[in-house]
Amino acid sequence: MILERLSSENFRNLEAAEYRFHPAVNLVVGMNGQGKTNLLEAVYFLATTKSFRTARTQSLIRFGQSYLFVNGDIARQGVTQTLSAGVDPGESRRVLTINAERVPLGRYLQSLTVIAYSSSRLEIIRGGPEDRRRFLDRGIASVEPGYLERLNRFQRALKQRNALLHAIAARQARASDLDAWDEEFLLAAIPVSAARADYARRISALLGATVDRYRYHVTGLTLRYLPGGEASGDPGAWRQRLQEVKRQELRSRMTLVGPQRDNVAFELEGRPAAEVLSGGELKTIVLFLKFAKLEHFRDETGEAAVFVLDDIDAELDVDILEAVLLNLPAATQLFATSAKQSVISALETGPHRRFAMDGGRAVEVSEH
Amino acid sequence: MTAPPLAHLINELTKLPGLGGKSAARLAYHLLKRPTADVEALASAILDVKSKIFRCSICNNMTDVEPCVICSDTRRDPTVICVVEEAFNIPTIETTRDFRGVFHVLLGALSPLKGVGPQDIDVAGLVRRVQAGQIREVIVATNPNVEGEATALYIAQQLRPLEVRTTRLGFGLPVGGDLEYADQVTMSKALESRREI
């Protein structure tokens, strides 16, 4: 899939201009604070309706304005569609359209997949379990259309079951009321858990292969799915696990097994990678992880996701970065920012378009 | 500043499901413009419904006769019970004219978040009807959401010792629609419940 065109209104400091992108490589250069990252963030927002820098949507809206939207043309398997994602104060949800027709989030997210690397975001390894669960969920949702719906169902069942545990503790409900909710909970939880376990296994294998391919010195890194409350396997095993923790659950008034407590262990020979690796090594590993995601997406869908690489100067091993970028899955469209004029010679020798940003607009666009 | 009687009406209307402040205000101003006779007809229709409609003692359907017209219809098959969450689900099933059994209205679905437990919905009444005998099948037609599914599971658990055939409504594709417009969950449910032709 190729992002051919993008325009925005009130998106941070970006001027409401139209950007036409190169199908292969787009380099965005400029001094800090001139809108390089904002342009990439707009690309990411168009695909995910979120930012890779902040959880606060409000901070994306240009100061003094009340709404924003980003729209773009996506060419995919010979068809071009216009996507638009917006934030409007009169709407509680994002305003999402495909070819000017309102669509629900689940369908919108299927239209464009962007995988982003930002050197300032290493939550996948350093962050908490919820960051890692999000990593798994976003990856799965990009290749499995029904996953978000399953996740919603699970979250709803979990909320209900927790509310019931509270009510039982407060003697407003009977312990036997749990029977029906246990069953509904595990019917909702098992598919989520199975999808995450499978995804983690696939990404771990791809990550290992990537590390080997580039002969990176950090070997033996594994990514292991740790099922919440050690619940796994068939419904019978889950039921038994739920029984084992029931008394504890009634005391703590919350569900102690299931995907809400999942974690992912990034380990190097059994020790947490976050403790063993240096800052530079971590960044390289996260880059490899993104590469693994790109390959997984390619394997699953037969298409290439768009790759967004923010701030390539920061501590990344340039030789490895070059090698990785030259080995991206075929037809991967790349967006990269840099504060330096010349960073990645491997990219600059091939065909690309270069955007020189200044004051929120591209002052110079050149074809190479 | 809205005149107090008008504000009072708007406030009452916002308590209705699906009505926000703006819609409620629009309705209130609309009522003001209507002839007095029309508004009186509406008011008395609302009062009438409260005084003349009650629950059927057998199935909990809303009725003005006891038992309700469905329970007392001798052409219907009283050995097949279709279980629904609310009385307003009955007309939806009735318009198909395919179902010739009787109903049981639960008066809700299990939802601990709303404080609704098994004692708050009428599964006990359903169990009594099955225990009374001659029931061949119970069709559970609760909503296909988390609450409806949990309720269906609860009903199945309660009926298991009575050894009555218990079925769940199928999930499938909307008839007359195009396959391409089916959402993914409906599609995978439809695949799951496919059948031989």
Side-chain angles (χ1 to χ4, degrees):
Chain A
M1 50 187 80
I2 303 294
L3 175 61
E4 294 181 327
R5 182 196 65 82
L6 179 135
S7 63
S8 67
E9 210 166 297
N10 299 333
F11 192 92
R12 293 207 191 254
N13 76 344
L14 282 185
E15 198 175 69
E18 196 171 77
Y19 295 86
R20 295 198 165 272
F21 297 121
H22 193 277
V25 177
N26 295 276
L27 296 178
V28 186
V29 297
M31 304 291 282
N32 286 327
Q34 301 307 315
K36 296 189 307 286
T37 298
N38 295 351
L39 181 57
L40 262 62
E41 198 180 17
V43 171
Y44 190 80
F45 182 83
L46 181 69
T48 64
T49 82
K50 295 199 165 79
S51 159
F52 57 76
R53 286 151 103 190
T54 174
R56 283 189 60 241
T57 307
Q58 208 56 34
S59 61
L60 299 177
I61 303 177
R62 185 198 298 262
F63 186 75
Q65 299 294 330
S66 61
Y67 71 96
L68 74 78
F69 69 81
V70 179
N71 73 55
D73 294 344
I74 318 301
R76 193 172 175 181
Q77 296 177 324
V79 180
T80 301
Q81 285 189 320
T82 301
L83 303 192
S84 172
V87 177
D88 187 304
E91 304 257 356
S92 55
R93 294 175 182 186
R94 301 265 197 277
V95 183
L96 307 172
T97 66
I98 299 176
N99 293 337
E101 197 183 315
R102 284 289 286 263
V103 291
L105 178 68
R107 201 175 136 217
Y108 182 87
L109 293 177
Q110 297 307 310
S111 319
L112 172 64
T113 299
V114 167
I115 291 169
Y117 171 85
S118 171
S119 55
S120 60
R121 298 268 299 190
L122 301 172
E123 278 86 348
I124 300 167
I125 293 179
R126 279 192 184 149
E130 67 281 3
D131 292 304
R132 298 170 202 208
R133 290 194 287 270
R134 198 173 306 124
F135 166 80
L136 296 176
D137 290 340
R138 286 189 180 182
I140 301 165
S142 71
V143 295
E144 215 179 289
Y147 182 70
L148 279 184
E149 197 67 42
R150 281 198 280 281
L151 196 59
N152 281 340
R153 178 180 170 200
F154 156 70
Q155 273 152 355
R156 181 80 189 163
L158 173 67
K159 254 193 188 166
Q160 289 283 18
R161 192 171 183 276
N162 283 344
L164 182 55
L165 287 168
H166 262 275
I168 293 169
R171 303 190 180 282
Q172 287 156 356
R174 294 184 303 209
S176 63
D177 292 358
L178 270 173
D179 295 349
W181 283 104
D182 281 359
E183 205 59 21
E184 172 62 19
F185 175 76
L186 63 91
L187 284 177
I190 291 173
V192 171
S193 178
R196 285 182 178 172
D198 181 57
Y199 185 75
R201 199 161 41 234
R202 298 277 304 276
I203 291 292
S204 183
L206 285 166
L207 179 66
T210 308
V211 170
D212 290 347
R213 186 184 319 163
Y214 299 108
R215 299 179 197 286
Y216 195 58
H217 64 274
V218 177
T219 55
L221 187 80
T222 58
L223 186 153
R224 203 153 48 87
Y225 172 71
L226 306 172
E230 291 162 29
S232 61
D234 59 24
W238 275 75
R239 248 175 239 129
Q240 196 187 332
R241 193 73 193 107
L242 269 179
Q243 285 308 320
E244 285 164 9
V245 297
K246 189 145 287 178
R247 290 178 66 182
Q248 221 181 321
E249 285 187 329
L250 288 169
R251 264 201 308 279
S252 61
R253 303 175 184 202
M254 58 180 171
T255 301
L256 296 176
V257 301
Q260 76 283 4
R261 295 169 79 88
D262 280 354
N263 202 350
V264 177
F266 280 93
E267 290 167 334
L268 198 68
E269 278 143 17
R271 295 174 62 198
E275 292 170 16
V276 184
L277 300 179
S278 72
E281 286 169 336
L282 277 178
K283 287 179 180 179
T284 303
I285 292 298
V286 172
L287 179 70
F288 285 159
L289 258 181
K290 300 295 177 174
F291 185 80
K293 279 184 103 168
L294 284 166
E295 288 207 311
H296 178 255
F297 184 81
R298 174 78 187 195
D299 289 349
E300 288 292 312
T301 65
E303 292 184 83
V306 173
F307 190 31
V308 158
L309 188 59
D310 185 35
D311 197 4
I312 48 183
D313 320 330
E315 274 188 76
L316 272 176
D317 184 322
V318 176
D319 292 336
I320 286 192
L321 181 61
E322 283 207 14
V324 167
L325 293 179
L326 289 174
N327 282 302
L328 290 176
T332 299
Q333 186 185 27
L334 173 73
F335 293 83
T337 66
S338 173
K340 296 179 192 153
Q341 282 302 312
S342 176
V343 202
I344 311 174
S345 52
L347 292 180
E348 284 159 328
T349 52
H352 68 276
R353 202 164 292 165
R354 189 183 184 87
F355 299 82
M357 300 293 290
D358 191 10
R361 65 197 189 96
V363 288
E364 196 191 327
V365 180
S366 53
E367 196 80 22
H368 301 269
Chain B
M1 176 66 194
T2 313
L6 190 53
H8 181 61
L9 174 60
I10 293 171
N11 186 41
E12 289 303 314
L13 288 170
T14 54
K15 294 175 186 169
L16 299 176
L19 278 186
K22 276 184 190 168
S23 319
R26 194 177 309 131
L27 276 182
Y29 281 99
H30 175 78
L31 287 172
L32 269 182
K33 276 195 268 177
R34 297 280 297 273
T36 307
D38 285 10
V39 178
E40 277 171 358
L42 176 63
S44 77
I46 293 173
L47 288 171
D48 248 23
V49 125
K50 278 310 277 186
S51 63
K52 291 183 184 156
I53 299 288
F54 52 92
R55 280 186 207 150
C56 170
S57 64
I58 299 173
C59 73
N60 294 325
N61 188 15
M62 292 298 181
T63 180
D64 60 344
V65 288
E66 169 66 26
C68 74
V69 289
I70 294 176
C71 288
S72 56
D73 188 339
T74 52
R75 291 163 303 174
R76 301 185 75 114
D77 180 356
T79 67
V80 180
I81 301 179
C82 177
V83 182
V84 294
E85 290 180 16
E86 301 289 350
F88 59 72
N89 298 136
I90 292 179
T92 316
I93 295 173
E94 280 298 276
T95 49
T96 65
R97 294 177 167 273
D98 288 330
F99 179 66
R100 300 306 293 162
V102 293
F103 288 94
H104 186 83
V105 181
L106 294 170
L107 305 168
L110 295 180
S111 175
L113 284 168
K114 290 183 186 158
V116 180
Q119 299 75 36
D120 306 304
I121 58 177
D122 190 28
V123 177
L126 175 67
V127 169
R128 276 196 302 276
R129 287 175 76 181
V130 175
Q131 277 167 340
Q134 272 90 54
I135 304 299
R136 285 187 298 130
E137 181 176 359
V138 174
I139 304 170
V140 183
T142 51
N143 287 324
N145 53 27
V146 166
E147 293 75 16
E149 292 294 340
T151 307
L153 288 166
Y154 178 73
I155 291 170
Q157 287 168 356
Q158 297 304 304
L159 294 181
R160 203 161 293 144
L162 304 178
E163 291 177 356
V164 62
R165 180 173 186 226
T166 306
T167 55
R168 181 88 174 101
L169 274 196
F171 301 102
L173 296 167
V175 176
D178 287 339
L179 220 50
E180 59 181 297
Y181 292 122
D183 66 276
Q184 287 110 359
V185 176
T186 306
M187 194 67 222
S188 49
K189 282 277 186 194
L191 271 172
E192 219 176 88
S193 53
R194 68 188 186 280
R195 58 186 172 79
E196 301 278 350
I197 49 168

